[in-house]
Structure formats: C-alpha cells, structure tokens
Amino acid sequence: MELVTPNLGTIFWMVIIFGIVVFVLKKFAWKPILNALEEREETISNALNAADEARKEMADLKAGNEQLIAEARKEKEAILRDAMKLKDSIIAEAKEKASAEAQKDIENARQQIQNEKAKAINEMKTQMAEISLMIAEKLIRKEMAGDKQQQEMANKLLDEFKLN
C-alpha cells in the first residue's frame, strides 16, 4: 500500500526536482521554444496576409482580364461591322459600275445599229439610183434613136437643173 499513500520525503524530493526542471527549462528551453513559436506565428500571419493580397490581386487581374476580353470582343465586333460595311459598299460600287458598263455597251450597240442602218439605207439608195439610172439609160437609148432628140432632151434637163 505504500504505492498508493504518498510519503512526505518523496513528495519533498519530487517538488525540488520539479522546480529544478522548471528552472532549467525556463532558463534554456522556453525562450527558444517561445521565440520559435512567435516566429512561426508571425510567418503564418505574414503568409495569410500575402495569401489575402494574392487573392485580391487575382480578383483584380481576373476583373482586368474580363474587361480586356470585353473590350476585345467590342473591337472584334466593330472590325467585323466595318468589314461588312466595306464589303457592302464594294459590292454596291461593283454593281453600279457593271450597270454603267452594261448601259454604255447597250448605247454603243444602239449607235452601231443606227450607223449600220444608215449605211445600209444609203447603200440601198445608191444601188436603187444606179439601177434607176441604168433602166432610164436603156429606156432613153431606145426612145431616142436620133441625135436631134438627144440634143433636145439635154437642153431640157439643163433648163430644169438651172431652175432647181
């Protein structure tokens, strides 16, 4: 039963040994341990602050990236809109040019047709006049067998020519 009941001498020596251990620990171990704990606490605090700052920076960068993406989209849309306008204007200009060319070609064709028509009419008139003259010459030769009739006809034609 001695193990259960405390002995006064054992308690005395235990208190003295405990005091010595506490003194030695306080003198040599607690300061470095407490300094290490304070340094660790400071490092953790600094790391948490850095993490918060990094999180804020990431949020700012994300917002900046989203803004850049939005601006890039707007710029892309503006460029596409300008390209579409340019395409439409080029197409309209090409249509107008083609229409003007077609109108010019039609007008040239009409003019050429008119020229050909006038040329054909003049040629027909010339041929008809030649045929008429040939017919008249043959008729007159038959009718005017003598020199006297030819002379009278020539005088009559000269008189008519002078009147005109």
Side-chain angles (χ1 to χ4, degrees):
M1 248 348 233
E2 281 185 26
L3 289 176
V4 180
T5 58
N7 190 351
L8 192 59
T10 307
I11 291 177
F12 173 75
W13 286 110
M14 281 179 67
V15 169
I16 289 183
I17 291 174
F18 182 74
I20 292 172
V21 168
V22 168
F23 176 74
V24 169
L25 284 176
K26 186 176 180 184
K27 185 88 172 161
F28 296 106
W30 280 2
K31 281 189 181 182
I33 290 173
L34 288 176
N35 287 340
L37 285 175
E38 286 177 7
E39 287 178 17
R40 180 169 168 95
E41 185 180 328
E42 190 176 316
T43 304
I44 289 171
S45 176
N46 289 340
L48 288 174
N49 289 338
D52 285 341
E53 288 180 22
R55 191 175 296 122
K56 288 178 184 176
E57 271 186 45
M58 289 301 290
D60 291 344
L61 287 175
K62 187 175 180 182
N65 284 343
E66 288 175 2
Q67 184 179 3
L68 285 175
I69 289 171
E71 289 176 7
R73 283 185 183 145
K74 287 179 184 176
E75 190 174 329
K76 177 188 80 166
E77 289 174 5
I79 290 171
L80 287 175
R81 217 175 309 119
D82 290 345
M84 291 299 283
K85 286 179 184 177
L86 182 61
K87 178 193 84 158
D88 291 342
S89 67
I90 289 172
I91 289 173
E93 184 179 324
K95 283 182 180 179
E96 289 176 14
K97 192 173 182 181
S99 176
E101 288 281 332
Q103 194 66 27
K104 185 178 176 183
D105 289 345
I106 289 171
E107 194 59 39
N108 286 341
R110 283 184 185 156
Q111 187 65 34
Q112 192 173 5
I113 289 170
Q114 284 296 107
N115 290 341
E116 291 295 323
K117 181 179 174 184
K119 186 177 175 184
I121 289 172
N122 285 337
E123 192 174 309
M124 285 178 62
K125 283 181 182 179
T126 304
Q127 287 178 357
M128 290 177 101
E130 287 177 4
I131 291 172
S132 297
L133 284 176
M134 285 174 33
I135 291 172
E137 183 182 337
K138 286 183 181 182
L139 286 175
I140 292 175
R141 280 191 186 166
K142 277 188 174 180
E143 287 182 12
M144 295 188 194
D147 288 335
K148 188 176 180 180
Q149 285 179 338
Q150 287 178 2
Q151 188 65 35
E152 287 176 8
M153 181 74 138
N155 289 335
K156 185 178 175 186
L157 287 175
L158 282 174
D159 290 337
E160 285 179 14
F161 181 71
K162 287 179 185 177
L163 292 175
N164 288 337

